[in-house]
Amino acid sequence: MDQPQLRVPIPRRQHPLEDTTRGVLIISAVMHRMKGAFFFLLQSELGDLYKVTLEHQDEDVVALKIKYFDTVSPAISLCILKSGHLFIPSEFGNHYFYQFQKLGDDDQEAEYSSTDYPGNGMRTPSQPLPRAYFRPRPLENLVLLDELESLDPILSAKVQNLPDASLFYAACGRGARSTFRTLKHGLEVEENGNSDLPSIPNAVWTLRIAEDDQYDSYIVLSFVNGTLVLSFGEEIEEIQNSGFLSSEPTLAAQQLGHDALLQVHPRGIRHILSDKRINEWKAPTGHTIVAATTNKRQVVLALSSAELIYFELDYEGQLNEYQDRRAMGSTVLALSIGEVPEGLQRFKYLAVGCEDQTVRIISLDPDSTLEMISLQAVTAPPSSISIADMHDSSIDKYRPTTFVNIGLQNGVLLRTILDPTNGKLADTRTRFLGNRPVRLIRTRVHGSPGVLALSSRSWLNYTYQGLVHFTPLAYDRLDGACSVNAELCPDGFIGIANNTLRIFQVPKLGSKLKQEILPLSYTPRKFVSHPQNSYFYLIEADHRTMSEPMIQDRVKVMEMSNEKIDREALEIDSKTFGNLRAPEGVWASCIRIIDPVNSQSVAIYPLDANEAAFSIAVVAFSARNGEMLLVVGTAVDVHLAPRACSTGFLRVYAFVEGGSKIELLHKTETDDIPMSLLSFQGRLLAGVGKSLRLYDIGKKKLLRKAENRQFASAILTLNTQGSRILAGDLNQSIYFVVYKAAENRLLIFADDVSARWTTAATMLDYNTVVAGDKFGNVFVNRLSETVSKQVDDDPTGAGILHEKSVLMGAPHKTKMIAHFHVGDIIMSIEKIALVAGARDVIVYFGLHGTIGILTPLVSKDDVDFISTLEQHMRTENLSLVGRDHLSWRGYYTPVKAVVDGDLCEYFAKLPTQKQLAIAGELDRTVGDVLKKLESLRVTASGF
């Protein structure tokens, strides 16, 4: 191309404290073509967008122009859609979806052109052009439409197991956009409104006046001694002439036929016609109605005498009673019929739950009305039953499946499949929901059938992307609920919580973790919890960033020298535009106290004098009668490559005011960066550079009691049980260390045969450790029981000192018993039981936002089943990018003793013929395979 070169400076942010040695780095770009024109969007590492245009005459470019466009989150790429939208897949943090309001052609922003410089900017190519500046501002050309939440990057995380749910705490993000997130297993709920009621209702229904109405009109509330009917419009108000009997509680309410309403109460039925005429049916003398179930054409009642009465709507809109009644022989506790299938006159089956701990399927077919078809015994009396037709592609790819959901009084839910041809029950699955009797309500979820299950926690059964899911709601406990469709709340729910009526929606079915987000000032590094209070103590640190105290000091110096200061540039929002960048070796850091219950910062303690925090621990010092103290490892003037600092410190803080504040007791100087801290036998164990040190508390500083300097590079992780210490080295895997109190020695007695770049580790038992490395692997190492016993039986450690080293390392080596490539750098790993009464699982958190669970398989049958299934899935479920699954999961070391559960879960999405073929190889049915997969997942993790 024989074209002259053109050059124009990239505008920089105008700031009185800018780093003049720092250039502008472009990280992403995109070209967009329009009718008769085109332009480029460039993005700098700070997130600033620049619009670049070319001015040309025919095929000759005569000018290159650039101007500031807007500022968004730094992206890995830019994507402009033809619809006029811009998608920003962020490098770190949430992803954003914008709409173009304008193209920046008619604003007041300065535009820089190559024609403004001699020779189109190329007169002296070796010399930089004069700098161009712009002032950052809020969005003008773009409008934010949507946001996709992302945990990337997770730098530190912890799991807390509560009685009703597991909470995941994650310190995420980078720079000023960093966040502390509380993740709770459950669907996020948006509350649209609430209203207090005169007393506590026991049930609620919503009704349309006519079948073809778009929105619900009535809310029916049943109380112990009456019924209240409310209108659902712009305001919720009571209706006096609804036709409902207000002096009796309501057992069921239904919009019947085309335009009639139905109320079932303990003494009878009220059939309310469109012209307000009422047809009544009264219960037999001496008997009351104890249970009822309805759909648009059928009504079934259960009397206190354990008899069933069946009604059906005829073509003229009259409700007719079937002449025979069915005696059940046991008190009826629950009834359910499904919705009438499209094009049919009735639903053919009735489910009856009896006090004798049985659920019976009764025929409603005209040829065999009220005849029992099948029976299923349950472990407790049923409290509620709901029949729902839901689409589950893992069972049937083409038509909905009829599920019978059975809630028991002991808090267990049974879900079984009802065969639509013969009424038989099959493929029963169980799940424990809570410690209260289960109440089931058939609902609509985003236009599809669903079931709401209420126990000590509310659960939603719904279809998402062709599969049935069962997920708790991240919401208060509800006593009753039903679905509602109103102008102000489409596809919503009405719930009862004590004497409050709540209207809410579930907007996102795809995310099973509700997030509460707390913004941070700098990049989070580590955090710890206090064992005696609910607070978290988090350290933040950012390299090449000016802290607020440093900015204020620089401004004071400029004021004293009478320099002009642009106050507006100093006051820009750091959450939008990032923190002020600084030269290499400058750090901004702080200690933050977080209240995770209320998701708020309680106190912030900035670190000055270019000091940055790298480690933190809560230590109970025996010398102070077990008093809990906070120890923070910091360093001054830290340089990353090569790693160095002018000095390090161990800061000791006392907790005051119940842990909501901390008070500095003293600082102890160290010769390297303290990268890891741990409480150990009433003292402090610290990994300071290559040294492992044991400190005790003193009046003016920490007192060094023992030290081992034989580590390879830097100690990043510390774990302990008894007198055994596991130290994770930066690039030499895990060291096994023992502390011999008699000789006051820290001795290395075992290490790994592989040199691994350790990032996180935790002990599974006294001899076993699970850890992650820098290349996305998780591995389990175990020490020989013989070696372990030998080391523990040596009182002084003299035997370890005189043993010969193996492979230029420790005298003993650990054995790798499991290995798996997860594809993400593990930043935190914990052993915890996520389900009450279940086995411990391994929960790991990856840098790019991954949360994974490793579940132990305890029986040989489970191992054989899941391993064989994985082998078949490797051949049937090929990767989109053509990568071989086995080579990917064994990218650095062959897979050992780990099965890819994510791959096995794809069995539910395979075509039916492939499912049948694989299930045949396993000597099981497709339903058995799916049931086993669900059991392995749910019993271990609860997800």
Side-chain angles (χ1 to χ4, degrees), residues 827-849:
M827 302 301 293
S828 183
I829 190 165
E830 288 192 35
K831 185 186 80 164
I832 191 169
L834 295 179
V835 178
R839 293 179 177 274
D840 286 348
V841 297
I842 300 168
V843 181
Y844 64 85
F845 298 83
L847 179 70
H848 297 300

Side-chain angles (χ1 to χ4, degrees), residues 60-81:
D60 297 327
V61 178
V62 296
L64 174 64
K65 298 181 178 181
I66 187 171
K67 66 185 301 186
Y68 171 62
F69 190 74
D70 264 331
T71 299
V72 296
S73 176
I76 56 174
S77 65
L78 303 175
C79 180
I80 299 178
L81 308 180

Side-chain angles (χ1 to χ4, degrees), residues 787-815:
V787 174
S788 176
K789 194 172 185 306
Q790 176 186 333
V791 170
D792 289 344
D793 291 343
D794 186 350
T796 63
I800 302 172
L801 286 172
H802 295 94
E803 282 186 297
K804 185 179 179 182
S805 69
V806 177
L807 298 176
M808 301 175 64
H812 303 286
K813 301 297 176 184
T814 56
K815 181 181 178 182

Side-chain angles (χ1 to χ4, degrees), residues 144 246 328 631 937:
L144 180 63
S246 60
M328 298 305 297
V631 183
R937 183 182 72 249

